[in-house]
Amino acid sequence: MNDRLFVHVPYSFLQQNLELVLAKGVNPEVFFSGDMLDTLIPEELAAIAATLAGNGLATTIHAPFIDLNPGSVERLIRDVTRHRFAQLLGAAAHLKPRVVVFHPGYDRWRYGESQDKWLQHSIATWQEVLPRAAEIGFTVAVENIFEEEPSTLQALFEALPQLRHCFDVGHWNLFTKVGMEEWFATLGSFIAEAHIHDNHGRRDDHAPVGEGNIDFALFFRLMAQYAPQAAWTIEAHSKEDLDRSLTNIRTFL
């Protein structure tokens, strides 16, 4: 299991605490914000990547997402998004991640009946990303954020079969209007990664596994059924929450 279990680690934290990550022996999912990409020193990243690999640790990446939208109907926002994605691909070329997770940028309150416009623009953006991802050798996974049901993501994955899904169980619990079994029946075969954190359905707490109201017994059963080789990433926002999640998750392994 260890080779498929990752933990959320911002790149700035990894820079300053590499020895701690090595001592913990955890595979990092490295998050890059836009600011981190702007100040990135390629030689430093290459050295960090070599150290991780030399210690037997794999990586995944979480792409920048704040104010970005690969399917925006505003051309300038798409241009900025593509710029950030291009920077991220440069970082990925050093880290050689298994998966890179991106946000889709869709929510029904902004797009309403304009889903087709979002889908058209989104497809065009991913068609620029996917060839470079194939060259580097990682899977592109699109995460559910505000999706209340899986139809928009399903349309994207069916249009671009190379894309895969990152199922975020915490976001599902916040926004869903369909059951977990229905979600997996639709998108389970596309899942390449899952983001694991808990909440009570009111805010994105990123609480430790088992400390909210998510049915993790069902979640892990569905993951074993539909995506047994997928990466698991614990998205904890503090060392204490991470330690509790690593302890609590043992119940389900």
Side-chain angles (χ1 to χ4, degrees):
M1 181 62 223
N2 286 345
D3 67 335
R4 292 195 292 117
L5 182 62
F6 296 78
V7 299
H8 171 83
V9 179
Y11 180 62
S12 56
F13 182 93
L14 186 63
Q15 288 174 293
Q16 299 166 19
N17 298 276
L18 181 59
E19 292 302 321
L20 175 61
V21 172
L22 297 178
K24 284 282 189 182
V26 295
N27 301 308
E29 173 152 296
V30 185
F31 167 66
F32 291 93
S33 68
D35 288 343
M36 292 173 195
L37 291 171
D38 284 340
T39 58
L40 187 70
I41 301 172
E43 294 78 10
E44 180 183 23
L45 176 58
I48 290 172
T51 300
L52 291 170
N55 284 269
L57 297 181
T59 62
T60 56
I61 288 177
H62 196 305
F65 60 89
I66 296 293
D67 294 330
L68 303 181
N69 187 347
S72 176
V73 299
E74 169 55 64
R75 179 185 58 79
L76 293 178
I77 291 183
R78 294 199 308 276
D79 288 347
V80 169
T81 300
R82 287 170 172 168
H83 173 69
R84 289 301 189 203
F85 286 3
Q87 289 179 301
L88 190 280
L89 290 168
H94 291 290
L95 274 178
K96 304 293 185 185
R98 294 183 184 177
V99 182
V100 176
V101 177
F102 296 85
H103 285 195
Y106 176 84
D107 73 79
R108 72 178 182 90
W109 294 107
R110 278 188 294 173
Y111 287 96
E113 300 302 318
S114 300
Q115 294 180 14
D116 290 345
K117 291 182 180 178
W118 169 83
L119 180 62
Q120 175 186 356
H121 293 308
S122 186
I123 289 171
T125 298
W126 299 120
Q127 285 174 330
E128 294 184 3
V129 171
L130 286 165
R132 182 70 175 128
E135 290 176 8
I136 297 169
F138 66 82
T139 298
V140 177
V142 180
E143 179 181 352
N144 57 299
I145 307 298
F146 303 118
E147 284 75 13
E148 297 174 344
E149 44 80 26
S151 65
T152 52
L153 291 176
Q154 181 184 17
L156 183 62
F157 300 147
E158 289 178 348
L160 295 169
Q162 308 99 306
L163 283 180
R164 287 296 178 263
H165 182 30
C166 173
F167 177 64
D168 189 302
V169 68
H171 295 162
W172 169 85
N173 197 48
L174 287 172
F175 300 108
T176 188
K177 292 187 176 179
V178 304
M180 198 186 301
E181 289 173 304
E182 181 178 342
W183 190 284
F184 271 79
T186 303
L187 296 184
S189 63
F190 295 101
I191 292 175
E193 180 171 331
H195 281 171
I196 301 173
H197 53 105
D198 211 343
N199 61 63
H200 288 90
R202 295 186 296 272
R203 53 178 290 175
D204 198 12
D205 298 305
H206 283 260
V209 171
E211 298 187 14
N213 64 7
I214 294 174
D215 185 348
F216 275 102
L218 175 60
F219 166 75
F220 285 110
R221 179 174 65 78
L222 291 170
M223 286 294 295
Q225 177 182 348
Y226 286 94
Q229 300 305 315
W232 296 4
T233 297
I234 295 175
E235 283 203 323
H237 286 177
S238 72
K239 179 182 178 297
E240 293 73 19
D241 284 354
L242 172 60
D243 288 341
R244 293 211 303 276
S245 273
L246 288 171
T247 297
N248 297 350
I249 202 172
R250 293 173 185 166
T251 303
F252 304 100
L253 300 183

